[in-house]
Amino acid sequence: MCGFLFLSSKRPLKEEEVAKLLAIGKGLKHRGPDAEGYHLTKDRKKFFYHTRLSIIDLDSRANQPMIKDDFILVYNGEIYNFKELRQQLIERGAHFFTKSDSEVIIECYRFYGVKCLELFTGMFAFCLYDRKKDEILIARDRIGEKPLVYYKDNDKLIITSEIPIILKILKEIYNTKPSINPEFFSLFFLGTYQHIPEPFSAWKGIKKLKPGYYIFFKNDEIAEQGFYYTPLIEPKYLDYSESKLINLIKEKLIEAINYTTISDVPIAILLSGGVDSSIIAYVIKKILNKEIIAYTYGRDYKDDEIWRAKTVAENLKIPIKPIYFNEKEILLRLKNIISIYGEPLSLYQFVFSDYLYEKIKEDGIKVVITGNGADEIFYGYISYPKTFLFSYAIKLLALNRILSNKELKKMKYFITAYKQKLPYNRDLVNSLFNEFEPLIRPFRNRFLIDFINFWALISENAHSITLVGDISGMKNSVEVRSPFLNHKLVDLAFSIHPKLKIKKFFDKRGLYTKWILRRAFNVEEISEILHRPKVGFGFYVLQDSSLPKGIQLKKWAINTFRCIYDVDIKEISEVF
């Protein structure tokens, strides 16, 4: 896992500007403290910087920027299936000087062009420059596990891993500061969003690359762009027996978990004692026969989450280390995270994860596996039985012929905003959905609950699925891997009828959610855990807390963002 920076300038960069870029690039050091490098093209108009967290192929030849023939690559992430792709490329005549997945990206692009993106299994964001064609390709993984932000005007193109890097370049080299996009702050209050969603940002001119998306730049202008990924789900649900579906789930999940264990450094697992992490631990230990250390987290030794995790670890004979959260300055930690992200965030899980990864880093661990995403693809939240009942009623009454799933979701947003007297920008909400139209189109005729969950996966719940792992993990130089976000497993899960995921409409404790996943791994070592109610991450830590929550926390986050970045509050307050 790494951080990178690319700048393309219309004019040659001066020596002092290159020195400033190197200093600014060091602001990404938390993403990769093991090595750093840079490259300036001969015409001094293109600057590449990379900071590396060494996990696969620890040899210095695998450092970046990676320059090979006509290609220059800066890249963040992991291509899990790089070994298979490497062998295929060798058979086609490719030659390699490293054992890294970075070089596989270059060779895949050489042989397949932009179609190479469809071959990658993993989490990634990269910038690849073809010197011969003078083209730049940027791309991001299908679910958006790794970030990529960019800024373009008439004089320059900046591509990097974090928004503050762009702000520093504009300030220190170009003596300018972008103004705020006040209208996009209304999206921060939309539904369950705790962040400003892609492709929008708080800053004018700065955009976030959407998940599963790529852009070609020619002469620093967008020449081609689009989604390379759309969910591979059939128009109808898979008409297989339950036993066959269970076998498919086991096959895809075991494969996904196995990929996340590929590493040349020690790895660990976050074990909450819940369904998802317990299944991952079971697969690693009992099916893949690999050794791993577990970490769990709670308020104190009496915490139910720690008790459950210890039970699983003892059953599987996995060493486990509990970490007790005794941080007093919770809001201060969240302020620091907002500073690194460059936009408001209003989720305490960022703080809990930050504290957890900080302690894990102290033990020398660089890679951590989590169960993020399972609730979205297998429908694990306690409210989902009611959501499925509502979805079933809509189908039964044929209301979906009058209002599409997308329109029903928009209506929910509007009603919630109206009741809570929150801002609602109809045109902006329409624009948000239009940005993801190719991804959500396959869900037009599905149950509403399917649409809701896929939308949560790629946009609405990104704060707790992908952002929390990347931001809190990378802040502490820890790579977070989530096998439930493997795109093949995601596609399979959304091809399964929701009645196999939610067994009962009336289930207040969440015992019958994720039903088929529980059935697939109903083994002795974790069976007790599989039949306990769901508890959210950090639930017991916050149980008696007087910290701001909900709308008050969002307002605190915006005010904190304003103070950090010296933003005129009047610009934002106009939205409200």
Side-chain angles (χ1 to χ4, degrees):
M1 204 64 68
C2 313
F4 66 80
L5 159 63
F6 168 77
L7 170 64
S8 180
S9 172
K10 295 294 185 185
R11 58 167 177 79
L13 294 166
K14 302 172 185 176
E15 284 293 339
E16 58 268 28
E17 291 173 333
V18 173
K20 286 182 179 179
L21 285 170
L22 286 170
I24 291 169
K26 291 182 185 298
L28 292 167
K29 199 70 175 176
H30 53 276
R31 287 186 166 269
D34 296 332
E36 66 175 330
Y38 80 97
H39 177 76
L40 182 65
T41 54
K42 288 182 179 180
D43 62 5
R44 304 185 65 85
K45 292 182 178 180
K46 288 180 172 58
F47 174 88
F48 301 80
Y49 177 87
H50 188 269
T51 181
R52 184 185 182 198
L53 182 66
S54 302
I55 291 171
I56 292 175
D57 188 358
L58 309 184
D59 193 292
S60 61
R61 290 178 299 175
N63 290 349
Q64 299 176 44
M66 183 169 281
I67 303 171
K68 186 174 185 183
D69 303 329
D70 293 319
F71 304 104
I72 304 175
L73 173 72
V74 282
Y75 151 63
N76 170 27
E78 303 290 352
I79 305 297
Y80 294 134
N81 63 335
F82 77 99
K83 290 183 179 179
E84 299 100 294
L85 293 173
R86 189 177 191 271
Q87 186 57 42
Q88 293 171 21
L89 291 163
I90 288 172
E91 291 171 2
R92 294 197 59 174
H95 298 279
F96 291 86
F97 67 91
T98 73
K99 296 179 180 179
S100 70
D101 54 345
S102 308
E103 192 176 7
V104 168
I105 292 176
I106 291 175
E107 290 298 334
C108 267
Y109 180 73
R110 187 200 304 274
F111 279 89
Y112 302 110
V114 73
K115 289 287 185 181
C116 72
L117 299 172
E118 299 173 16
L119 304 176
F120 298 151
T121 295
M123 52 179 181
F124 56 84
F126 66 77
C127 172
L128 178 63
Y129 178 51
D130 186 330
R131 292 186 283 194
K132 191 173 183 179
K133 296 181 180 178
D134 193 25
E135 286 182 345
I136 298 157
L137 169 65
I138 62 173
R140 194 172 177 212
D141 66 76
R142 295 167 180 85
I143 309 300
E145 291 183 74
K146 293 293 100 190
L148 190 151
V149 294
Y150 65 98
Y151 173 93
K152 191 185 82 66
D153 62 22
N154 294 332
D155 301 318
K156 55 197 160 293
L157 170 65
I158 307 170
I159 301 165
T160 186
S161 303
E162 294 178 355
I163 287 174
I165 298 298
I166 295 177
L167 299 177
K168 289 176 184 176
I169 291 173
L170 294 177
K171 178 183 178 181
E172 297 182 24
I173 295 180
Y174 297 97
N175 195 30
T176 186
K177 177 183 177 181
S179 55
I180 288 295
N181 272 321
E183 65 274 18
F184 292 147
F185 282 81
S186 67
L187 296 178
F188 185 53
F189 288 87
L190 188 69
T192 60
Y193 281 99
Q194 313 292 337
H195 66 290
I196 297 174
E198 294 100 335
F200 310 116
S201 88
W203 304 93
K204 288 184 179 177
I206 297 179
K207 288 189 174 183
K208 305 167 194 161
L209 193 66
K210 292 176 284 192
Y213 206 77
Y214 74 92
I215 299 177
F216 269 112
F217 291 96
K218 182 80 172 179
N219 298 321
D220 294 346
E221 298 295 331
I222 294 177
E224 180 186 335
Q225 61 182 318
F227 285 101
Y228 67 87
Y229 167 68
T230 52
L232 295 177
I233 61 173
E234 299 296 328
K236 295 183 179 181
Y237 296 104
L238 291 175
D239 188 20
Y240 297 160
S241 66
E242 185 173 322
S243 61
K244 184 173 181 179
L245 288 172
I246 284 173
N247 287 333
L248 278 173
I249 290 169
K250 291 171 75 172
E251 175 190 330
K252 295 299 181 186
L253 183 52
I254 291 168
E255 178 184 72
I257 294 170
N258 188 40
Y259 273 140
T260 60
T261 63
I262 297 172
S263 173
D264 292 329
V265 297
I267 61 175
I269 180 174
L270 292 191
L271 187 56
S272 67
V275 173
D276 318 318
S277 61
S278 298
I279 288 173
I280 294 171
Y282 169 79
V283 170
I284 292 173
K285 183 68 176 182
K286 295 297 184 179
I287 296 179
L288 301 177
N289 296 313
K290 294 184 178 183
E291 296 301 320
I292 194 166
I293 185 172
Y295 287 84
T296 190
Y297 167 91
R299 184 165 56 180
D300 53 41
Y301 71 94
K302 299 176 183 177
D303 197 316
D304 185 61
E305 193 164 338
I306 287 181
W307 177 86
R308 294 196 296 179
K310 282 185 174 181
T311 300
V312 173
E314 287 171 7
N315 290 346
L316 295 174
K317 295 180 172 57
I318 293 174
I320 186 167
K321 181 176 180 178
I323 294 176
Y324 302 117
F325 186 81
N326 57 11
E327 179 63 76
K328 305 301 180 185
E329 301 296 334
I330 290 179
L331 291 177
L332 179 59
R333 272 192 185 259
L334 187 53
K335 178 183 177 181
N336 292 336
I337 290 166
I338 290 171
S339 177
I340 288 174
Y341 185 58
E343 289 187 349
L345 293 166
S346 59
L347 191 71
Y348 288 120
Q349 276 73 9
F350 284 100
V351 175
F352 306 149
S353 298
D354 176 35
Y355 186 87
L356 188 57
Y357 294 132
E358 182 182 278
K359 300 301 179 185
I360 291 173
K361 180 188 177 182
E362 291 174 1
D363 289 347
I365 300 292
K366 289 184 178 181
V367 180
V368 173
I369 300 174
T370 78
N372 289 0
D375 287 322
E376 281 72 21
I377 69 173
F378 286 107
Y379 306 176
Y381 293 111
I382 292 176
S383 63
Y384 280 172
K386 289 182 180 179
T387 304
F388 184 33
L389 177 60
F390 181 65
S391 302
Y392 193 84
I394 287 171
K395 278 275 190 182
L396 195 65
L397 299 172
L399 294 178
N400 57 316
R401 296 179 184 177
I402 303 170
L403 289 172
S404 67
N405 286 333
K406 182 169 66 175
E407 294 305 318
L408 285 167
K409 184 64 175 174
K410 289 180 188 177
M411 184 182 296
K412 175 72 181 301
Y413 283 152
F414 173 76
I415 292 171
T416 302
Y418 179 79
K419 284 182 177 179
Q420 298 183 12
K421 299 180 180 179
L422 295 173
Y424 184 83
N425 186 323
R426 188 184 304 274
D427 292 338
L428 193 55
V429 172
N430 288 336
S431 178
L432 174 62
F433 279 98
N434 290 339
E435 289 284 351
F436 289 92
E437 181 59 34
L439 289 188
I440 60 179
R441 191 178 299 130
F443 293 88
R444 282 181 299 185
N445 298 318
R446 292 300 183 95
F447 280 96
L448 176 62
I449 193 171
D450 294 322
F451 179 88
I452 287 172
N453 275 278
F454 187 75
W455 183 248
L457 182 71
I458 60 165
S459 185
E460 191 167 5
N461 285 4
H463 48 265
S464 59
I465 301 172
T466 54
L467 288 179
V468 72
D470 179 78
I471 298 169
S472 299
M474 286 291 90
K475 180 175 179 289
N476 296 287
S477 307
V478 173
E479 174 175 292
V480 177
R481 299 178 175 183
S482 305
F484 282 100
L485 299 182
N486 181 292
H487 72 279
K488 293 180 182 179
L489 181 64
V490 169
D491 290 346
L492 172 62
F494 282 110
S495 298
I496 296 172
H497 199 289
K499 69 183 180 182
L500 293 173
K501 301 178 186 179
I502 297 173
K503 204 63 176 176
K504 291 186 177 182
F505 287 141
F506 304 101
D507 175 21
K508 292 182 180 180
R509 300 179 69 201
L511 296 174
Y512 296 92
T513 58
K514 287 191 282 200
W515 181 253
I516 196 166
L517 180 65
R518 297 175 197 253
R519 292 267 291 129
F521 292 92
N522 189 20
V523 293
E524 182 180 352
E525 292 89 340
I526 59 174
S527 61
E528 181 183 355
I529 298 300
L530 295 185
H531 298 95
R532 289 178 65 88
K534 177 179 176 57
V535 178
F537 178 45
F539 173 79
Y540 294 104
V541 175
L542 284 175
Q543 198 170 26
D544 304 318
S545 170
S546 60
L547 289 165
K549 297 181 180 69
I551 302 304
Q552 293 307 312
L553 179 58
K554 291 189 176 188
K555 290 181 178 179
W556 174 90
I558 287 177
N559 190 53
T560 300
F561 165 77
R562 177 189 66 82
C563 294
I564 293 170
Y565 289 100
D566 191 24
V567 173
D568 185 356
I569 192 66
K570 291 180 181 178
E571 291 185 87
I572 303 173
S573 61
E574 288 175 3
V575 178
F576 315 114

